[in-house]
Amino acid sequence: MAKEWYLLKSPHDQVSGFESEALNDFGEEGFLEVLDSDIAIDVELYNYDLSVCTPIRAVLNNRLTDTKLKTLVRHLLVPVGTVKAGMYAKFKGRFWLITGIVDDNGIYEKAILSICNYLLSWVNDSGKPVQRWSNIVSASQYNNGETATHNYFMRTDQLLINMPDDKESLMLGQGTRFVIDRRCDIYERDFDETVTVDVSKKLITYQITRVDSVLYSYIDSGLFEIMV
């Protein structure tokens, strides 16, 4: 059998032709070959506060989709032991949050990425400003965590927010308020003493009504979810 017929480049001199055995024995080496090809792309991995960046090569699946919701999710294939839930992946100028448990098949591991659509900002108990890229989705169909016997709580919107479960996010308590409005970018971009900016449009604020610190905890990694 010609060497060109082999599925993988074996590190040993094999002439048996049993490629399934080679796949079992050298599957991880074969995946590294894929990462060296044009199938893979350059990806930047970040920790929870973006203070540590690690450039890697990865295979990105689910890029060509047919529905709007599917465009908000990607599948990342990387060598075993590379990523965990709660980490960020950045490519093509966008941040994505690794959600769900990361697992492997002995050859590569697969992570589910959810688009980060807002940079959430708040001030912690020590007065320090904190920012986290977050995945925010509508939660109008869910229970908002509030109950009443004589009053009805009217809600114009409810949001589910996912972010890394670091010590800053985990210390967020019920009742904390956030400004979640893209008009902040416009106001800040035009902020100058010589420029008159119309700030009559009130910014949209949300208040935490439910905190889930355990629901998406995976022992060695995880996410922190709040409802606002």
Side-chain angles (χ1 to χ4, degrees):
M1 180 178 290
K3 290 183 178 180
E4 289 77 10
W5 293 3
Y6 277 82
L7 295 176
L8 304 172
K9 296 177 182 177
S10 170
H12 304 286
D13 185 14
Q14 288 189 344
V15 294
S16 65
F18 291 103
E19 293 157 334
S20 60
E21 293 181 0
L23 184 62
N24 293 330
D25 295 336
F26 313 114
E28 290 189 67
E29 289 84 352
F31 182 70
L32 294 179
E33 292 178 21
V34 175
L35 296 182
D36 288 333
S37 69
D38 293 336
I39 298 177
I41 64 171
D42 293 322
V43 174
E44 295 177 350
L45 284 181
Y46 289 89
N47 64 334
Y48 62 92
D49 62 354
L50 309 184
S51 61
V52 179
C53 175
T54 305
I56 64 168
R57 294 279 290 175
V59 176
L60 195 65
N61 287 342
N62 203 42
R63 285 189 286 181
L64 304 178
T65 58
D66 299 322
T67 65
K68 180 179 69 175
L69 291 179
K70 289 184 178 179
T71 63
L72 307 179
V73 178
R74 297 288 186 273
H75 299 156
L76 192 73
L77 308 183
V78 293
V80 178
T82 303
V83 298
K84 290 184 178 181
M87 296 178 67
Y88 294 108
K90 183 182 181 182
F91 51 90
K92 292 188 175 181
R94 296 188 182 96
F95 282 99
W96 300 72
L97 181 64
I98 298 178
T99 58
I101 298 177
V102 177
D103 210 339
D104 66 85
N105 59 3
I107 298 176
Y108 58 82
E109 65 184 11
K110 180 178 180 179
I112 299 175
L113 306 180
S114 298
I115 186 68
C116 292
N117 48 7
Y118 197 77
L119 183 61
L120 197 66
S121 304
W122 70 92
V123 177
N124 64 15
D125 295 337
S126 301
K128 175 185 175 182
V130 181
Q131 290 185 316
R132 294 290 182 269
W133 278 105
S134 306
N135 170 253
I136 301 180
V137 296
S138 176
S140 297
Q141 70 271 33
Y142 300 134
N143 183 288
N144 63 10
E146 294 185 337
T147 58
T149 56
H150 302 291
N151 302 306
Y152 289 98
F153 289 92
M154 304 302 296
R155 287 288 180 264
T156 57
D157 195 15
Q158 293 180 170
L159 302 176
L160 272 178
I161 302 177
N162 285 297
M163 67 184 86
D165 60 347
D166 61 277
K167 61 180 181 180
E168 291 288 357
S169 61
L170 285 174
M171 293 306 294
L172 286 170
Q174 191 160 327
T176 302
R177 292 181 177 274
F178 304 95
V179 175
I180 304 179
D181 195 327
R182 289 192 60 199
R183 283 175 288 192
C184 290
D185 299 335
I186 300 176
Y187 294 161
E188 292 175 1
R189 183 170 60 247
D190 296 333
F191 181 76
D192 189 279
E193 292 182 357
T194 62
V195 178
T196 301
V197 180
D198 179 14
V199 294
S200 59
K201 300 290 191 302
K202 292 185 178 180
L203 296 175
I204 302 174
T205 59
Y206 291 83
Q207 183 180 25
I208 295 180
T209 59
R210 196 179 76 195
V211 175
D212 288 326
S213 61
V214 179
L215 190 59
Y216 298 107
S217 175
Y218 310 133
I219 307 302
D220 62 337
S221 61
L223 302 172
F224 181 64
E225 183 182 84
I226 58 177
M227 177 174 284
V228 296

